[in-house]
Amino acid sequence: MAKMWKSIQKYEGLYKISTEGEIYGERWKHYLKFRKVRRTSKSKFYFRVILSKHDIKTVRFVHHLVLETFIGSRPEGMYALHKNDNQLDNRLENLYWGTSSDNRYDAYTNGRCSAEGQNNGRSLLTEEDVREIKRAKHEESAVELAKRFSVSKWTIYDILNGRNWSHI
């Protein structure tokens, strides 16, 4: 996709933004510098910029500005998502409005949520334990299996009903 520039809504004549996520101050004839900020308590960082109009300063996330300028306003209940899970990659081709479910799907397909099963640091069971639980389900009760593997009977029920460890 060839780089395109458009005026940022509500800041026409002051700022332009490109499909690459660059912001240019028309009045000052220079590219704006972004600040990398932590968005949540997790280690997710995003670029933000301070825009000014009539001496009123507004802090905006760059990925939101790219989507709002080239795609349109954020639909209700939607989030600005990065296809490649790199929150610092604000190219239009990497961004889209999506649901929280879309975000979880992206995280899974991009390997951000690969900590399932025994790779999860909180797991008390191994894959071999789960296979043994599934093999022994007709010979032992859930309570007996729970005692044997030092987990709750609810963990056993969830495994046997496919709510946990469904990949085994």
Side-chain angles (χ1 to χ4, degrees):
M1 169 190 293
K3 180 166 45 171
M4 293 177 15
W5 289 88
K6 270 186 156 182
S7 287
I8 297 174
Q9 270 184 335
K10 300 179 185 172
Y11 294 93
E12 289 86 358
L14 296 174
Y15 302 99
K16 284 186 175 180
I17 191 166
S18 78
T19 52
E20 299 293 311
E22 303 160 299
I23 299 177
Y24 184 76
E26 295 184 85
R27 192 162 145 203
W28 305 274
K29 305 291 186 221
H30 69 84
Y31 291 95
L32 273 62
K33 293 181 178 161
F34 304 140
R35 289 203 169 101
K36 193 163 69 167
V37 294
R38 190 182 306 261
R39 174 77 188 256
T40 61
S41 59
K42 298 176 185 173
S43 60
K44 292 174 99 176
F45 287 92
Y46 296 88
F47 282 130
R48 74 173 185 181
V49 67
I50 298 172
L51 302 178
S52 179
K53 182 177 181 180
H54 305 301
D55 293 327
I56 298 171
K57 294 180 180 183
T58 307
V59 177
R60 297 293 312 272
F61 287 103
V62 174
H63 58 291
H64 288 180
L65 289 171
V66 171
L67 282 170
E68 289 168 1
T69 302
F70 291 98
I71 303 298
S73 298
R74 179 174 67 98
E76 191 170 327
M78 301 293 242
Y79 302 90
L81 304 179
H82 295 79
K83 292 175 186 174
N84 66 4
D85 280 336
N86 178 355
Q87 287 79 21
L88 302 179
D89 182 355
N90 293 312
R91 294 172 296 123
L92 178 60
E93 63 193 43
N94 184 48
L95 300 172
Y96 69 103
W97 295 120
T99 63
S100 60
S101 179
D102 294 331
N103 196 29
R104 286 191 302 276
Y105 178 77
D106 281 353
Y108 182 77
T109 57
N110 291 327
R112 192 166 33 107
C113 290
S114 60
E116 71 177 7
Q118 68 188 28
N119 293 330
N120 183 321
R122 297 183 306 168
S123 175
L124 300 174
L125 300 170
T126 65
E127 290 183 2
E128 187 52 44
D129 292 339
V130 173
R131 286 188 188 91
E132 178 58 30
I133 289 167
K134 288 183 176 187
R135 276 194 294 267
K137 68 182 176 184
H138 297 298
E139 294 126 26
E140 296 178 65
S141 71
V143 173
E144 292 169 333
L145 288 168
K147 285 180 185 174
R148 186 167 104 173
F149 290 97
S150 301
V151 296
S152 74
K153 67 180 178 184
W154 303 111
T155 298
I156 301 298
Y157 290 139
D158 286 345
I159 290 168
L160 297 178
N161 291 315
R163 287 188 291 268
N164 284 345
W165 293 85
S166 57
H167 63 285
I168 301 292

PDB file of all heavy atoms in Angstrom, residues 130 134 137 154-168:
ATOM      1  N   VAL A 130      -3.130 -35.649  32.699  1.00  0.00           N
ATOM      2  CA  VAL A 130      -4.467 -35.486  32.114  1.00  0.00           C
ATOM      3  C   VAL A 130      -4.840 -36.725  31.301  1.00  0.00           C
ATOM      4  O   VAL A 130      -5.984 -37.202  31.364  1.00  0.00           O
ATOM      5  CB  VAL A 130      -4.530 -34.202  31.261  1.00  0.00           C
ATOM      6  CG1 VAL A 130      -5.846 -34.110  30.505  1.00  0.00           C
ATOM      7  CG2 VAL A 130      -4.330 -32.979  32.146  1.00  0.00           C
ATOM      8  N   LYS A 134      -8.079 -39.130  32.059  1.00  0.00           N
ATOM      9  CA  LYS A 134      -9.075 -39.501  31.044  1.00  0.00           C
ATOM     10  C   LYS A 134      -9.165 -41.017  30.879  1.00  0.00           C
ATOM     11  O   LYS A 134     -10.250 -41.559  30.650  1.00  0.00           O
ATOM     12  CB  LYS A 134      -8.756 -38.818  29.715  1.00  0.00           C
ATOM     13  CG  LYS A 134      -9.034 -37.321  29.761  1.00  0.00           C
ATOM     14  CD  LYS A 134      -8.782 -36.655  28.429  1.00  0.00           C
ATOM     15  CE  LYS A 134      -9.170 -35.188  28.502  1.00  0.00           C
ATOM     16  NZ  LYS A 134      -9.119 -34.521  27.214  1.00  0.00           N
ATOM     17  N   LYS A 137     -11.109 -42.587  34.065  1.00  0.00           N
ATOM     18  CA  LYS A 137     -12.406 -42.014  34.451  1.00  0.00           C
ATOM     19  C   LYS A 137     -13.492 -43.052  34.735  1.00  0.00           C
ATOM     20  O   LYS A 137     -14.399 -42.800  35.502  1.00  0.00           O
ATOM     21  CB  LYS A 137     -12.896 -41.030  33.394  1.00  0.00           C
ATOM     22  CG  LYS A 137     -13.278 -41.644  32.065  1.00  0.00           C
ATOM     23  CD  LYS A 137     -13.709 -40.570  31.096  1.00  0.00           C
ATOM     24  CE  LYS A 137     -14.004 -41.185  29.743  1.00  0.00           C
ATOM     25  NZ  LYS A 137     -14.327 -40.157  28.773  1.00  0.00           N
ATOM     26  N   TRP A 154     -13.524 -30.448  41.084  1.00  0.00           N
ATOM     27  CA  TRP A 154     -14.020 -29.594  40.004  1.00  0.00           C
ATOM     28  C   TRP A 154     -13.013 -29.540  38.855  1.00  0.00           C
ATOM     29  O   TRP A 154     -13.412 -29.458  37.690  1.00  0.00           O
ATOM     30  CB  TRP A 154     -14.340 -28.192  40.530  1.00  0.00           C
ATOM     31  CG  TRP A 154     -15.341 -28.260  41.639  1.00  0.00           C
ATOM     32  CD1 TRP A 154     -15.124 -27.984  42.958  1.00  0.00           C
ATOM     33  CD2 TRP A 154     -16.696 -28.704  41.546  1.00  0.00           C
ATOM     34  NE1 TRP A 154     -16.257 -28.224  43.692  1.00  0.00           N
ATOM     35  CE2 TRP A 154     -17.253 -28.667  42.840  1.00  0.00           C
ATOM     36  CE3 TRP A 154     -17.498 -29.151  40.502  1.00  0.00           C
ATOM     37  CZ2 TRP A 154     -18.552 -29.028  43.123  1.00  0.00           C
ATOM     38  CZ3 TRP A 154     -18.815 -29.508  40.781  1.00  0.00           C
ATOM     39  CH2 TRP A 154     -19.335 -29.446  42.065  1.00  0.00           C
ATOM     40  N   THR A 155     -11.752 -29.600  39.179  1.00  0.00           N
ATOM     41  CA  THR A 155     -10.732 -29.650  38.126  1.00  0.00           C
ATOM     42  C   THR A 155     -10.888 -30.935  37.324  1.00  0.00           C
ATOM     43  O   THR A 155     -10.820 -30.922  36.084  1.00  0.00           O
ATOM     44  CB  THR A 155      -9.317 -29.574  38.738  1.00  0.00           C
ATOM     45  OG1 THR A 155      -9.187 -28.325  39.424  1.00  0.00           O
ATOM     46  CG2 THR A 155      -8.230 -29.701  37.692  1.00  0.00           C
ATOM     47  N   ILE A 156     -11.133 -32.045  38.004  1.00  0.00           N
ATOM     48  CA  ILE A 156     -11.342 -33.329  37.330  1.00  0.00           C
ATOM     49  C   ILE A 156     -12.587 -33.256  36.446  1.00  0.00           C
ATOM     50  O   ILE A 156     -12.568 -33.671  35.283  1.00  0.00           O
ATOM     51  CB  ILE A 156     -11.455 -34.485  38.348  1.00  0.00           C
ATOM     52  CG1 ILE A 156     -10.191 -34.589  39.213  1.00  0.00           C
ATOM     53  CG2 ILE A 156     -11.760 -35.806  37.641  1.00  0.00           C
ATOM     54  CD1 ILE A 156      -8.912 -34.891  38.455  1.00  0.00           C
ATOM     55  N   TYR A 157     -13.695 -32.708  36.985  1.00  0.00           N
ATOM     56  CA  TYR A 157     -14.931 -32.571  36.203  1.00  0.00           C
ATOM     57  C   TYR A 157     -14.692 -31.714  34.951  1.00  0.00           C
ATOM     58  O   TYR A 157     -15.162 -32.056  33.861  1.00  0.00           O
ATOM     59  CB  TYR A 157     -16.048 -31.930  37.038  1.00  0.00           C
ATOM     60  CG  TYR A 157     -16.600 -32.800  38.137  1.00  0.00           C
ATOM     61  CD1 TYR A 157     -16.888 -32.252  39.380  1.00  0.00           C
ATOM     62  CD2 TYR A 157     -16.861 -34.154  37.945  1.00  0.00           C
ATOM     63  CE1 TYR A 157     -17.407 -33.028  40.406  1.00  0.00           C
ATOM     64  CE2 TYR A 157     -17.374 -34.942  38.963  1.00  0.00           C
ATOM     65  CZ  TYR A 157     -17.648 -34.375  40.187  1.00  0.00           C
ATOM     66  OH  TYR A 157     -18.165 -35.156  41.194  1.00  0.00           O
ATOM     67  N   ASP A 158     -13.956 -30.625  35.112  1.00  0.00           N
ATOM     68  CA  ASP A 158     -13.684 -29.755  33.970  1.00  0.00           C
ATOM     69  C   ASP A 158     -12.846 -30.455  32.909  1.00  0.00           C
ATOM     70  O   ASP A 158     -13.063 -30.269  31.709  1.00  0.00           O
ATOM     71  CB  ASP A 158     -12.989 -28.467  34.425  1.00  0.00           C
ATOM     72  CG  ASP A 158     -13.935 -27.502  35.134  1.00  0.00           C
ATOM     73  OD1 ASP A 158     -15.169 -27.692  35.032  1.00  0.00           O
ATOM     74  OD2 ASP A 158     -13.441 -26.566  35.794  1.00  0.00           O
ATOM     75  N   ILE A 159     -11.904 -31.269  33.316  1.00  0.00           N
ATOM     76  CA  ILE A 159     -11.092 -32.028  32.362  1.00  0.00           C
ATOM     77  C   ILE A 159     -11.965 -33.046  31.636  1.00  0.00           C
ATOM     78  O   ILE A 159     -11.938 -33.149  30.407  1.00  0.00           O
ATOM     79  CB  ILE A 159      -9.910 -32.736  33.078  1.00  0.00           C
ATOM     80  CG1 ILE A 159      -8.887 -31.708  33.546  1.00  0.00           C
ATOM     81  CG2 ILE A 159      -9.264 -33.784  32.161  1.00  0.00           C
ATOM     82  CD1 ILE A 159      -7.837 -32.264  34.494  1.00  0.00           C
ATOM     83  N   LEU A 160     -12.772 -33.782  32.381  1.00  0.00           N
ATOM     84  CA  LEU A 160     -13.599 -34.835  31.785  1.00  0.00           C
ATOM     85  C   LEU A 160     -14.708 -34.268  30.891  1.00  0.00           C
ATOM     86  O   LEU A 160     -15.138 -34.941  29.949  1.00  0.00           O
ATOM     87  CB  LEU A 160     -14.188 -35.722  32.880  1.00  0.00           C
ATOM     88  CG  LEU A 160     -13.151 -36.490  33.713  1.00  0.00           C
ATOM     89  CD1 LEU A 160     -13.836 -37.296  34.813  1.00  0.00           C
ATOM     90  CD2 LEU A 160     -12.292 -37.394  32.831  1.00  0.00           C
ATOM     91  N   ASN A 161     -15.153 -33.056  31.165  1.00  0.00           N
ATOM     92  CA  ASN A 161     -16.199 -32.438  30.362  1.00  0.00           C
ATOM     93  C   ASN A 161     -15.652 -31.525  29.264  1.00  0.00           C
ATOM     94  O   ASN A 161     -16.417 -30.862  28.571  1.00  0.00           O
ATOM     95  CB  ASN A 161     -17.170 -31.653  31.254  1.00  0.00           C
ATOM     96  CG  ASN A 161     -17.998 -32.588  32.112  1.00  0.00           C
ATOM     97  OD1 ASN A 161     -18.504 -33.595  31.628  1.00  0.00           O
ATOM     98  ND2 ASN A 161     -18.115 -32.272  33.386  1.00  0.00           N
ATOM     99  N   GLY A 162     -14.326 -31.480  29.115  1.00  0.00           N
ATOM    100  CA  GLY A 162     -13.711 -30.719  28.029  1.00  0.00           C
ATOM    101  C   GLY A 162     -13.609 -29.224  28.254  1.00  0.00           C
ATOM    102  O   GLY A 162     -13.308 -28.479  27.316  1.00  0.00           O
ATOM    103  N   ARG A 163     -13.845 -28.747  29.460  1.00  0.00           N
ATOM    104  CA  ARG A 163     -13.721 -27.302  29.722  1.00  0.00           C
ATOM    105  C   ARG A 163     -12.275 -26.901  29.974  1.00  0.00           C
ATOM    106  O   ARG A 163     -11.914 -25.757  29.766  1.00  0.00           O
ATOM    107  CB  ARG A 163     -14.610 -26.919  30.919  1.00  0.00           C
ATOM    108  CG  ARG A 163     -16.102 -26.920  30.569  1.00  0.00           C
ATOM    109  CD  ARG A 163     -16.930 -26.365  31.703  1.00  0.00           C
ATOM    110  NE  ARG A 163     -16.937 -27.261  32.855  1.00  0.00           N
ATOM    111  CZ  ARG A 163     -17.841 -28.213  33.074  1.00  0.00           C
ATOM    112  NH1 ARG A 163     -18.802 -28.407  32.207  1.00  0.00           N
ATOM    113  NH2 ARG A 163     -17.780 -28.969  34.141  1.00  0.00           N
ATOM    114  N   ASN A 164     -11.478 -27.809  30.485  1.00  0.00           N
ATOM    115  CA  ASN A 164     -10.032 -27.573  30.679  1.00  0.00           C
ATOM    116  C   ASN A 164      -9.268 -28.682  29.959  1.00  0.00           C
ATOM    117  O   ASN A 164      -9.743 -29.800  29.845  1.00  0.00           O
ATOM    118  CB  ASN A 164      -9.663 -27.605  32.165  1.00  0.00           C
ATOM    119  CG  ASN A 164     -10.078 -26.356  32.894  1.00  0.00           C
ATOM    120  OD1 ASN A 164     -10.396 -25.343  32.283  1.00  0.00           O
ATOM    121  ND2 ASN A 164     -10.098 -26.430  34.209  1.00  0.00           N
ATOM    122  N   TRP A 165      -8.090 -28.362  29.531  1.00  0.00           N
ATOM    123  CA  TRP A 165      -7.193 -29.325  28.869  1.00  0.00           C
ATOM    124  C   TRP A 165      -7.871 -29.956  27.651  1.00  0.00           C
ATOM    125  O   TRP A 165      -7.667 -31.120  27.348  1.00  0.00           O
ATOM    126  CB  TRP A 165      -6.747 -30.413  29.858  1.00  0.00           C
ATOM    127  CG  TRP A 165      -5.863 -29.908  30.944  1.00  0.00           C
ATOM    128  CD1 TRP A 165      -6.259 -29.339  32.114  1.00  0.00           C
ATOM    129  CD2 TRP A 165      -4.439 -29.908  30.962  1.00  0.00           C
ATOM    130  NE1 TRP A 165      -5.176 -28.999  32.885  1.00  0.00           N
ATOM    131  CE2 TRP A 165      -4.028 -29.338  32.191  1.00  0.00           C
ATOM    132  CE3 TRP A 165      -3.465 -30.342  30.075  1.00  0.00           C
ATOM    133  CZ2 TRP A 165      -2.710 -29.181  32.528  1.00  0.00           C
ATOM    134  CZ3 TRP A 165      -2.138 -30.195  30.427  1.00  0.00           C
ATOM    135  CH2 TRP A 165      -1.773 -29.612  31.640  1.00  0.00           C
ATOM    136  N   SER A 166      -8.680 -29.183  26.932  1.00  0.00           N
ATOM    137  CA  SER A 166      -9.407 -29.726  25.777  1.00  0.00           C
ATOM    138  C   SER A 166      -8.468 -30.060  24.614  1.00  0.00           C
ATOM    139  O   SER A 166      -8.856 -30.792  23.710  1.00  0.00           O
ATOM    140  CB  SER A 166     -10.481 -28.753  25.320  1.00  0.00           C
ATOM    141  OG  SER A 166      -9.907 -27.506  25.006  1.00  0.00           O
ATOM    142  N   HIS A 167      -7.257 -29.556  24.644  1.00  0.00           N
ATOM    143  CA  HIS A 167      -6.306 -29.853  23.558  1.00  0.00           C
ATOM    144  C   HIS A 167      -5.681 -31.243  23.701  1.00  0.00           C
ATOM    145  O   HIS A 167      -4.967 -31.698  22.829  1.00  0.00           O
ATOM    146  CB  HIS A 167      -5.210 -28.785  23.516  1.00  0.00           C
ATOM    147  CG  HIS A 167      -4.351 -28.720  24.728  1.00  0.00           C
ATOM    148  ND1 HIS A 167      -4.781 -28.168  25.912  1.00  0.00           N
ATOM    149  CD2 HIS A 167      -3.086 -29.170  24.951  1.00  0.00           C
ATOM    150  CE1 HIS A 167      -3.827 -28.255  26.815  1.00  0.00           C
ATOM    151  NE2 HIS A 167      -2.777 -28.855  26.255  1.00  0.00           N
ATOM    152  N   ILE A 168      -5.950 -31.952  24.814  1.00  0.00           N
ATOM    153  CA  ILE A 168      -5.401 -33.293  25.038  1.00  0.00           C
ATOM    154  C   ILE A 168      -6.451 -34.325  24.665  1.00  0.00           C
ATOM    155  O   ILE A 168      -7.582 -34.242  24.992  1.00  0.00           O
ATOM    156  CB  ILE A 168      -5.001 -33.497  26.522  1.00  0.00           C
ATOM    157  CG1 ILE A 168      -3.971 -32.472  26.945  1.00  0.00           C
ATOM    158  CG2 ILE A 168      -4.511 -34.915  26.776  1.00  0.00           C
ATOM    159  CD1 ILE A 168      -2.631 -32.626  26.288  1.00  0.00           C
TER     160      ILE A 168
END
